[in-house]
Structure formats: C-alpha cells, structure tokens
Amino acid sequence: MSAETYRDAWGIPHLRADTAAGLARAQGRVTARDRAWQLEVERHRAQGTSASFLGAGALSWDRLARRARLADTARRCFTALEAKDPETAAWVRAYVDGVNEGLAETPEDGPAPEFARTGLVPGRWEPWTPLGVWLATHLLFAGLPAKLWREHITAHLGPEAVALFAADGPGTAGSNGWLVSGERTTTGHALIAGDPHRYIEDPGVYQQIHLSCPEFDVVGLAVPGVPGIAHFGHTGTVAWAITNAMADYQDLYRERLRRTGAGVEALGPDGTWHRAARHTETVEVAGEPGRRESVEVVEVEVVETDRGPVIAGGPEGLDDGTPAALSLRHPPRVTADLGFGALLPLLRARTVADVDRALDAWAEPVNVVQAADTEGGLLHRVAGRVPVRPEANRLRPVPAWEPGHEWTGWHAPPRAGLTDGVAVMANQRGLSTPLGVEFAPPHRADRIAALLAGRERWSAADLPAIHTDTHLASAGPLLDHLAALTTPPAPVALTPGAAALRARLLAWDRRMDADSTDAAAYAALRTAVVRRLAAHPALAPASAPPAYPEVLLPWLALVPRVGHALEHLLRAEDLYGIDRAGTVRAALEEVAAAPPAGTWGDTHRLAPWRALPDTAAGTEEPGLSGDHDCVLCTSAVPGLTDRAARGPAARYVWDLADRDNSRWVVPHGASGVPGSPHHRDQQPLWLDGGLAPVITDFTRLTKESDD
C-alpha cells in the first residue's frame, strides 16, 4: 500500500493513499510524527499510567482510570468490533500500525523535547488503544460529576438548591454550531459553521487533516490518536458538525459492599448479596513531574458489581471513612460498543442520508449533529446512546440495593427541522431536552440566532464575524441589581467612587472585549459578588465536599458553582435570607476602592493545559476577548480566576457550494513539537478571529514524503 504526505503553508497534513487501510496507516504515521508527545500522554491516560512520569498530580486520574476499567472496556469494545465489523477493526489496526511506525522513526531535529525531559521512550500502541483514548477523553464529558454536585448541594441546602445552581444559570461551556440552508445563502448552497469549546490543550485536541483515497476525499478535524474524522468533516458533497447534546447517559449507584475473605460482595436489588469482581493493580508515581528517578508504587483495588465498576469509595467507605461506594454504569461498559462502526461510513458519506445512517451506530459522547449536502439535503438530529431508566437515575446516585433503577432500553434519537432557514446548536435546551437534565443557558444560541436574522443572505466569508461576538447577555441580573441600588423609596448612599463606577457600568455596552476597561471593571465586580456570596454563612456549609477522588472535586467546588449560577442566584425570589442588595453594594464599594488597573485582556489570558506545565516557561499567554456566555466563549471562572482554560478548540466554516471556499483554524498550530514553525503559527489568526483556507488540490501542496 503506497501513501503520500503533503503539507500546505500551515503545515497541515494532506494524505493520499491507494486504499482506506493504507490511508489509515498514513494518518497514524503522520500523527505520530506531528504529535508524538501528545500520543504518549493520551496512551498513558487511557491505561492509567500517567503518574509514572507526571508525578503525584496525575495519580487521582490514574486511580479513576483503573477503577473505571477504561483499558479493559476498550479491549472489550475492540474485541466486539472485530467480531461484528471486521473491516473497521482492520482499519483501526492499520492506524495503530502507522502510529507505531511513526513513533519508531527518529525525526531529523530529534524527538519532542518532552521525551528528553522525562526520559520516556514512546511506548507501543495496541489495537484497542484508540478506543481507550476516546473513552478517557469523554469519561467526564457527561453527567457523572453533576450527579455528585446535586446530591451534595441538596444535603446542605435542600432540594430547591438544585435548580438554583443548575448549569442553565449558567454552568457549562459547550460549543457553538449553526446551519444556514441554501435559501439563506448567496450561493444557494448550505453553510455550516461553529467552534467546539473544550479545554484548550497544547498540543490541541483537534488535528486539521485531509484524507484522500479512491473511496473518499475528506477534510476535517480529527482527534489525535483516533482514526478518521469523527466530529467535523467535509467530503466535498456532504459536511457535518456537532455540539455536545448535554444528554445524561451515565448512572451512579450507591453500593453496599462487604468483604468475605479475599472477596467482596454487593447487595443487589433482589435483597441478596452477589459476588463482585475484585483484583488489585499497582500504579507507579514519579517523585515529581518529568523526573522518574524516585518512583512510589501505589496499590489500587478494582471492584466491579453487577451495575458497573466502583469508581469511588469501597467496603470501608471514602478516604475520610464516610461510608460510601459509588459504581458507574455507562453504555460502552454495558454494550461493549463504542460506536467506532460509524467512523468509516462517515468518511464514505456522499449525502445527508449517508451521514444519518452512519450516525445510527454512534455511541458516545451524545451529540447534536447538523449536516448538509450539495443536493439540498439537511439534517439536524441527536446521535448517541442514552438509556431508558427512571428519572431518579438521571438526577443523582441511586441505591443499588433497591429495585426500580434498572435500564430498560434506549431512547430514540430526537430530530428537528430548521426555523427561517437556520438551525442553531449551542448546548441549550432544544431537541435533546428529553435526554438531559441541565443545559447551557440560552444566551449563546439566542445571540447567534439574532445575528443570523440580521442578514437575509450569508456567504462563507461573512460567518467568522459571528464566531467572535463578545456581547454578554448574562450580565443583566448583576447590572439590574446595580441599577436598583439607588431606586426609591430607600435610596442607598454610595461613596463618590462607587457611584461613578455604578454609572459607568450601567452605560457599558456589555461587550467583553480584551481592550475594554469597562469589561475589566464588570468582571472585578462579578468576582467580588461571587466571593461574598460563597462566603456567606448560608452557603458556606456547602464549601466542604465529601472525600471523593480528587479528580472529581472541581465539579464540587462552591465558588465556581456560585460563579456559574450567578444569574439564578441573583434572580431568585429568596436566597436563604441573604441580603443580595447589600452584597452587591459592598462588592461595588470594594472594587471602587481598588479598581482593576488595566483592561479585560490583562487578566483574561489563555491558560492552556500542558502535561508538563513548564514546557513553555517564561512565555506570557495572550489576552483574550470573550467570556463564558459570549458566542466567543473563552471561559473565565468567576470568583476563582479570570484566566481561560476553556474556549474554542477550533473554528470552521464548511461551504457546500465549494469546499475550497471553506475555512478553519486551531488555537496553536498543526505541529505539537515546541520550536516547530507550525507549533503556534495559527495563534495570531485564532486570536483575531481569522480562518485559514482549506486547500484540497494536491497540486497546490508541497509533497513531504512517499511511505
């Protein structure tokens, strides 16, 4: 099987091969060349071995990966794939072969510097490893941590607190996507655009790539470590894109466990004790990140009941002795199907009907999908597997020993049409509402819809302006409280500085632009209000969560929860007797006494995740426009930090009139190797809201190699 690798001016790989398997092998090889360190990190995360070189900070994840049996689930899913769909299994094997070949090569300029720092040598990928990477990437993508939060806040503040702190108020950064039908475009053909909001990692979580063979020719955004193009692709005649459907498809069960000799038993819903699977694994922990000289060995007990693997607690309870054990039930562990059977059919798709059929095999994460083809076909549906079970399962952990919490089937994926020739998906309540509990607030979706309504006909060149809109609708409740501070009949005396700040913020255009001093002042006020509310005696008891695994604790932290639910907390009829007017007044005086010295971009800076944090020591990350509820969703955590760890992990515009008129960009670049000319060459475009051209004509590309 011959294959050729080409590059465009941005270093993006364009691959051509004789067969689909040969192309998969080439994709694996070029990914290993461009992203060797990233692949090594992802392989270890899937195996639960990352603490062996990242140190104790990675131990909690490794414990969770082992206890959740991610690697074992990936093996099971691949074995089932081989039996059910041998062609796709062979295609995945070809990708893995390419990864191993690429990792074995010695780059001309030497291996990625991270390998030298850690003393690591790239390890071997197994056929199931891409499935493990997919599982590890999406394990905490659904409702698992939210169930723990709902239980925690209910225990301290009562059941009414669940709605007050719901994600709708707001809580979850997701993604934007919009479909404009041909009747609303300048060409008569559809446009699809958007930007997935995820943790911004360096290297990036999406890989721009072009895959061409006699069967198909596709451009899109791949997940490094996984073959094909799953989430965002354009085959020339059909294009598709996704956002998180915010569906709830993972259940937590409270288990009653007891030891019997060397074994463990779990109390089942039939009232009898059942043997649980149990074994012990060891995790190596480096003394500090990047240094493997001193390694500690930690034992991890792995227990699995009839519901699923126990991910927290055990027969002796949590680490603090609290009697608790939580098992996780999720579709891939139950069905041994991760949905990889959809990947090849997606690449081969020519129409929206083909995409629709392919997505019937999708498993997780559960997504809202939009697709359009050159024949005028349109698609707007949910894809993924959501179990049918009682409502209580969706809300919080349920008792495993009580009957009535079983899964009884699968939900039919909802579908929807377009309104006025457009469809908008931004994690809001919509066609996936029956499948979820909490959704993103409507601000991003409403703003995108309003912007699209402002023009009768759209071109591909027009759409990037929507990506970078910075209007913050969620500022309303706090500004309403400011306006009420001097409302009769009880005028409140403010100091001159506070009165001036109040007047300034009430006149602000509500745009979170990086160069705005007003945006900085609003953010400072918001932070002060959040911190004061979180410290109030009425809420403070919820600040100490149970001793769950450390990796789950960010979802249980009170200050971020208050920050993301600030709209609901300020609008509620009563908030546990808290004087919110007094809180806002005190916060206003606090900020007026020590106002921020600069602009929003001075503190709202990019904070990408790196496996080795000091890889780019001394590099000042850029300031950003946008905020959590802007279309330009660069998520600060009000009350905790202005820095943005989450944001657009890519941007794209798919043009169905002419694929070569499509555009895309990622936060950093095509290469994951620091020092490469393509490591960060797209960042100026990304910061300015620009997009790079999608080039599919191989005569316009530079040939790199024949493999």
Side-chain angles (χ1 to χ4, degrees), residues 545-565:
Y548 289 126
E550 183 182 351
V551 70
L552 300 177
L553 294 184
W555 282 270
L556 296 166
L558 180 61
V559 169
R561 285 287 179 173
V562 170
H564 288 151

Side-chain angles (χ1 to χ4, degrees), residues 504-505 508 513-522 596-600:
R504 177 179 153 201
L505 289 177
W508 171 49
D513 294 326
D515 60 359
S516 170
T517 55
D518 289 343
Y522 170 79
T599 66
W600 177 226

Side-chain angles (χ1 to χ4, degrees), residues 143-148 250-254 307 309 311 326-329 392-393 396-400 552:
L144 184 163
K147 288 180 167 65
L148 298 179
Q250 299 170 323
D251 280 357
L252 288 175
Y253 289 82
R254 289 207 167 276
R307 271 67 57 195
I311 64 166
L326 294 172
S327 63
L328 169 66
R329 187 172 182 83
N393 291 43
R396 59 184 62 89
V398 293
L552 300 177

Side-chain angles (χ1 to χ4, degrees), residues 406-653:
E406 299 80 10
W407 291 8
T408 57
W410 305 99
H411 283 280
R415 299 169 179 272
L418 278 64
T419 302
D420 296 326
V422 303
V424 177
M425 51 182 188
N427 319 107
Q428 78 280 18
R429 291 184 179 273
L431 79 163
S432 60
T433 297
L435 307 181
V437 178
E438 297 180 24
F439 295 81
H443 306 304
R444 287 185 284 113
D446 289 350
R447 181 64 175 173
I448 293 168
L451 291 171
L452 289 172
R455 186 192 297 258
E456 183 62 29
R457 296 282 188 273
W458 288 85
S459 70
D462 298 327
L463 290 180
I466 295 179
H467 284 132
T468 53
D469 186 81
T470 61
H471 184 265
L472 187 68
S474 63
L478 180 50
L479 296 178
D480 288 345
H481 273 275
L482 275 188
L485 286 182
T486 58
T487 298
V492 177
L494 297 174
T495 63
L501 178 58
R502 171 184 173 276
R504 177 179 153 201
L505 289 177
L506 291 178
W508 171 49
D509 62 8
R510 304 191 188 189
R511 291 189 175 274
M512 299 297 285
D513 294 326
D515 60 359
S516 170
T517 55
D518 289 343
Y522 170 79
L525 175 64
R526 180 177 61 182
T527 289
V529 171
V530 168
R531 289 176 178 173
R532 287 174 177 274
L533 287 176
H536 192 280
L539 301 184
S543 62
Y548 289 126
E550 183 182 351
V551 70
L552 300 177
L553 294 184
W555 282 270
L556 296 166
L558 180 61
V559 169
R561 285 287 179 173
V562 170
H564 288 151
L566 189 59
E567 280 189 279
H568 278 181
L569 300 179
L570 291 178
R571 281 181 169 155
E573 185 174 344
D574 176 69
L575 187 65
Y576 307 103
I578 297 174
D579 177 10
R580 283 163 291 179
T583 299
V584 172
R585 183 176 63 250
L588 181 67
E589 294 286 1
E590 174 188 333
V591 175
T599 66
W600 177 226
D602 289 335
T603 57
H604 187 55
R605 293 187 175 274
L606 183 64
W609 180 85
R610 300 182 180 91
L612 291 179
D614 58 345
T615 297
T619 300
E620 182 65 47
E621 296 292 350
L624 302 174
S625 294
D627 195 29
H628 189 84
D629 289 316
C630 300
V631 177
L632 180 53
C633 184
T634 52
S635 294
V637 185
L640 186 64
T641 179
D642 287 345
R643 298 178 72 84
R646 292 188 295 187
R651 296 192 188 101
Y652 60 89
V653 174

Side-chain angles (χ1 to χ4, degrees), residues 55-406:
L59 177 58
S60 184
W61 167 262
D62 284 354
R63 285 182 185 271
L64 179 64
R66 301 295 188 94
R67 299 187 74 180
R69 311 208 69 187
L70 295 188
D72 183 70
T73 302
R75 292 188 194 99
R76 289 188 185 187
C77 290
F78 186 78
T79 298
L81 186 67
E82 285 188 301
K84 180 181 179 181
D85 187 354
E87 182 193 21
T88 297
W91 177 73
V92 174
R93 282 184 179 274
Y95 179 88
V96 169
D97 289 342
V99 168
N100 286 325
E101 290 169 7
L103 292 177
E105 297 175 359
T106 302
E108 292 182 6
D109 53 355
E114 294 91 345
F115 287 107
R117 290 183 56 206
T118 58
L120 280 178
V121 175
R124 180 171 181 79
W125 279 50
E126 300 296 334
W128 56 267
T129 303
L131 287 78
V133 169
W134 192 261
L135 276 168
T137 299
H138 298 109
L139 179 67
L140 299 178
F141 221 65
L144 184 163
K147 288 180 167 65
L148 298 179
W149 166 256
R150 291 187 206 112
E151 183 178 63
H152 171 63
I153 199 67
T154 297
H156 289 282
L157 298 176
E160 69 279 0
V162 172
L164 279 175
F165 285 90
D168 304 59
T172 302
S175 305
N176 300 320
W178 57 95
L179 166 62
V180 183
S181 66
E183 65 189 77
R184 295 286 307 279
T185 70
T186 58
T187 65
H189 288 275
L191 296 166
I192 300 175
D195 49 348
H197 303 152
R198 303 181 68 143
Y199 283 99
I200 303 295
E201 300 183 13
D202 186 7
V205 298
Y206 283 114
Q207 170 194 35
Q208 298 152 298
I209 201 163
H210 177 196
L211 304 175
S212 182
C213 68
E215 286 187 74
F216 52 79
D217 187 288
V218 189
V219 295
L221 301 168
V223 174
V226 178
I229 295 170
H231 286 159
F232 309 93
H234 196 328
T235 73
T237 60
V238 65
W240 67 91
I242 63 97
T243 64
N244 187 347
M246 308 299 284
D248 182 85
Y249 52 89
Q250 299 170 323
D251 280 357
L252 288 175
Y253 289 82
R254 289 207 167 276
E255 299 279 358
R256 286 182 177 169
L257 305 178
R258 70 181 185 186
R259 295 197 183 277
T260 57
V264 172
E265 290 182 340
L267 185 61
D270 60 358
T272 63
W273 293 89
H274 297 258
R275 174 75 65 177
R278 178 204 172 275
H279 68 275
T280 301
E281 299 181 8
T282 58
V283 178
E284 292 186 348
V285 185
E288 58 181 275
R291 300 189 63 179
R292 307 181 72 203
E293 295 86 359
S294 58
V295 175
E296 177 188 3
V297 176
V298 176
E299 286 193 347
V300 177
E301 183 179 42
V302 179
V303 175
E304 185 166 8
T305 73
D306 292 340
R307 271 67 57 195
V310 174
I311 64 166
E316 287 74 41
L318 301 175
D319 289 346
D320 64 354
T322 302
L326 294 172
S327 63
L328 169 66
R329 187 172 182 83
H330 63 135
R333 189 67 184 168
V334 173
T335 65
D337 182 6
L338 198 50
F340 269 44
L343 298 181
L344 263 176
L346 275 175
L347 296 177
R348 292 169 172 154
R350 293 292 179 269
T351 66
V352 294
D354 297 334
V355 171
D356 198 11
R357 281 190 295 270
L359 293 174
D360 285 340
W362 192 265
E364 74 164 53
V366 179
N367 295 321
V368 175
V369 183
Q370 294 176 341
D373 62 32
T374 54
E375 298 176 4
L378 303 172
L379 179 69
H380 189 198
R381 63 165 287 185
V382 173
R385 193 165 288 147
V386 179
V388 175
R389 75 280 206 209
E391 180 69 13
N393 291 43
R394 294 165 18 123
L395 298 176
R396 59 184 62 89
V398 293
W401 58 89
E402 292 183 0
H405 296 292
E406 299 80 10

